[in-house]
Amino acid sequence: MSRHASGMSLLRHSQYLAWESGSTRLLWVYGKAGCGKTILCSTAIEDIRTHCQKAINTGHAIFYFSFSDNYKQTYQNLIVSLVVQLGRKEPGLSMIRQAIQQLLEQAQNVRMLVTSRDVPDVHCLLEQLGAKQLSIAAQTVNGDIQKYVSTQVSHHRKLSRLDPSSRTLIEETLAQKAD
């Protein structure tokens, strides 16, 4: 039997169909090295991708464990990959939001500092999580920006050689345009 044919036979196998329909939650397809598992997996991925595009509130995530890639050898990296992939749309996104909220409620030693622009989605989520808000006005940081720019210009290999008026012009322009 050719590898392509074995990939198609997987899609017709009763255990695969039970997994795809949801009556089986975990299916382990295994075999020796070189038996065609990668081809089977690729066939299944395409089938599931098509299935998920047609179904509402259904997503898919892919992760290959690999002996040739250290990143793809740990359970932790599997979990991170799945969270990122499944959290892009519902219902995964809501589940991740609930997990973050539970983490903050149940792990009292966890602290989060979030910085962003005042974007409605971020604002709403952080408000739901009970975040204290601290608005930073542009004038508050202008002095810090001026100091930072001045330090960078004075330590820059080429800019530090400029005459004082040119350096001052560069520093003032960058500080003013920071907004």
Side-chain angles (χ1 to χ4, degrees):
M1 185 182 315
S2 73
R3 288 187 177 184
H4 180 68
S6 66
M8 296 311 288
S9 67
L10 172 69
L11 302 183
R12 294 188 297 267
H13 196 284
S14 61
Q15 289 182 333
Y16 177 82
L17 293 170
W19 174 79
E20 184 180 44
S21 70
S23 60
T24 296
R25 296 192 58 211
L26 179 61
L27 177 62
W28 178 29
V29 178
Y30 63 94
K32 295 179 181 179
C35 72
K37 293 182 301 294
T38 302
I39 298 298
L40 291 174
C41 188
S42 297
T43 302
I45 288 169
E46 288 306 314
D47 181 57
I48 291 303
R49 183 175 286 138
T50 301
H51 174 78
C52 290
Q53 287 173 348
K54 295 175 185 174
I56 297 171
N57 285 339
T58 305
H60 69 283
I62 301 161
F63 187 87
Y64 286 97
F65 284 100
S66 171
F67 289 108
S68 63
D69 184 348
N70 288 340
Y71 178 80
K72 295 188 174 190
Q73 293 178 7
T74 67
Y75 178 74
Q76 178 180 350
N77 289 336
L78 163 68
I79 297 301
V80 168
S81 178
L82 296 179
V83 166
V84 168
Q85 292 177 67
L86 295 174
R88 290 183 180 146
K89 66 177 198 173
E90 296 298 344
L93 184 57
S94 294
M95 293 169 75
I96 292 170
R97 284 182 182 154
Q98 289 173 351
I100 290 170
Q101 187 169 2
Q102 287 176 346
L103 178 67
L104 289 173
E105 290 171 0
Q106 296 174 6
Q108 296 298 313
N109 60 339
V110 171
R111 304 289 185 266
M112 289 177 63
L113 173 70
V114 179
T115 63
S116 76
R117 294 183 182 178
D118 191 6
V119 178
D121 284 350
V122 174
H123 186 104
C124 182
L125 173 63
L126 292 174
E127 200 170 69
Q128 289 173 2
L129 293 175
K132 301 294 181 192
Q133 299 177 12
L134 174 61
S135 176
I136 304 296
Q139 296 83 4
T140 307
V141 294
N142 281 348
D144 291 337
I145 292 171
Q146 179 70 41
K147 288 178 190 174
Y148 175 79
V149 170
S150 178
T151 301
Q152 293 302 312
V153 168
S154 65
H155 289 89
H156 190 274
R157 187 171 53 91
K158 291 183 180 179
L159 296 178
S160 63
R161 293 185 212 153
L162 293 174
D163 62 88
S165 62
S166 296
R167 285 177 48 186
T168 301
L169 179 61
I170 290 172
E171 293 170 10
E172 289 176 356
T173 302
L174 289 174
Q176 289 170 1
K177 300 294 182 181
D179 287 339

